[in-house]
Amino acid sequence: MTKLLHAICGGGTKARTTREFNSPDWEEVRMDPQADVQPDVVSSLMDMSMLEDASFDAVFTAHTFERLYAHEVGKALANIVRVLKDDGYLIVTCADIQAACALVAEDKLLEAAYESPAGPVAPIDILYGFRPALAAGFERHACKCGFTSRALLGTLGQAGFASKWAARNPNSFTLVAIACKQQKTEEFMKELAAKHFG
């Protein structure tokens, strides 16, 4: 069975990852620094020392990189690279700050960009963290850096991923990327993306 590390899972399970991961073929290991969400591993992206080298076929993490300082992202990615098998890959989502900044340039900082299940999201929320969550005391949701598609792909390449694919989702102002440790063809990357996202 293939093994998935759901990194910084919060209260979610693989049902909230991708179509491919949400199947019986994948054994999920949930990791989060908050013990109250009952993860399998209590840890953060900055310290994954309790996980063995090359022990996962894939890693999934959503909206976590923007909650790190820019200088911490490289260390987090190095930890992910270490725990991935040689033929393993990472799927990451993060806020699309290029799209958010386009609205800021139109002086729409506080206007709703889209509706989320938790309520309207404005560019200020995308750039700095969702204000209702921060007001409720969830300071760990504050955003400390951000990415455009080009910046995200470049950061993944610097971390040692040989093949990368990324797409923008204008409906939710997010980026999604797939990064493989080994060199893959463009066709392979597109097929992998289709398998996960349709």
Side-chain angles (χ1 to χ4, degrees):
M1 181 176 286
T2 44
K3 200 169 180 182
L4 167 69
L5 176 63
H6 188 175
I8 319 305
C9 58
T13 66
K14 65 180 182 178
R16 294 176 61 183
T17 58
T18 74
R19 181 175 61 187
E20 169 67 14
F21 290 147
N22 187 28
S23 75
D25 296 333
W26 287 87
E27 175 190 352
E28 179 188 32
V29 175
R30 297 171 65 249
M31 182 183 85
D32 198 277
Q34 305 297 318
D36 60 342
V37 300
Q38 300 180 331
D40 302 301
V41 178
V42 179
S43 193
S44 73
L45 290 174
M46 299 306 294
D47 180 12
M48 295 165 61
S49 57
M50 72 295 302
L51 300 175
E52 295 182 5
D53 293 359
S55 53
F56 291 92
D57 298 280
V59 174
F60 176 89
T61 190
H63 294 285
T64 55
F65 286 175
E66 62 258 51
R67 292 170 184 164
L68 301 174
Y69 288 109
H71 69 274
E72 295 177 318
V73 175
K75 181 177 180 181
L77 282 168
N79 288 334
I80 290 171
V81 169
R82 181 185 63 79
V83 302
L84 278 171
K85 296 179 181 178
D86 286 343
D87 61 348
Y89 61 95
L90 163 69
I91 293 185
V92 56
T93 69
C94 64
D96 182 353
I97 66 165
Q98 184 175 6
C101 287
L103 293 181
V104 174
E106 296 176 16
D107 201 15
K108 296 179 179 179
L109 179 68
L110 303 177
E111 296 181 27
Y114 69 97
E115 288 289 332
S116 77
V121 178
I124 192 172
D125 302 308
I126 299 168
L127 293 171
Y128 300 109
F130 189 51
R131 288 167 294 167
L134 297 176
F138 294 98
E139 293 184 2
R140 64 182 182 272
H141 288 237
C143 296
K144 300 169 184 173
C145 72
F147 298 90
T148 64
S149 181
R150 180 182 174 189
L152 180 58
L153 289 172
T155 301
L156 292 169
Q158 290 172 2
F161 288 100
S163 297
K164 291 91 60 187
W165 169 94
R168 302 174 72 183
N169 185 340
N171 295 324
S172 60
F173 287 74
T174 56
L175 303 171
V176 60
I178 302 175
C180 295
K181 287 182 70 172
Q182 294 182 342
Q183 188 68 47
K184 302 292 184 181
T185 65
E186 183 177 349
E187 181 181 359
F188 177 91
M189 297 300 289
K190 288 180 178 179
E191 289 177 354
L192 186 59
K195 186 185 294 187
H196 282 278
F197 303 109

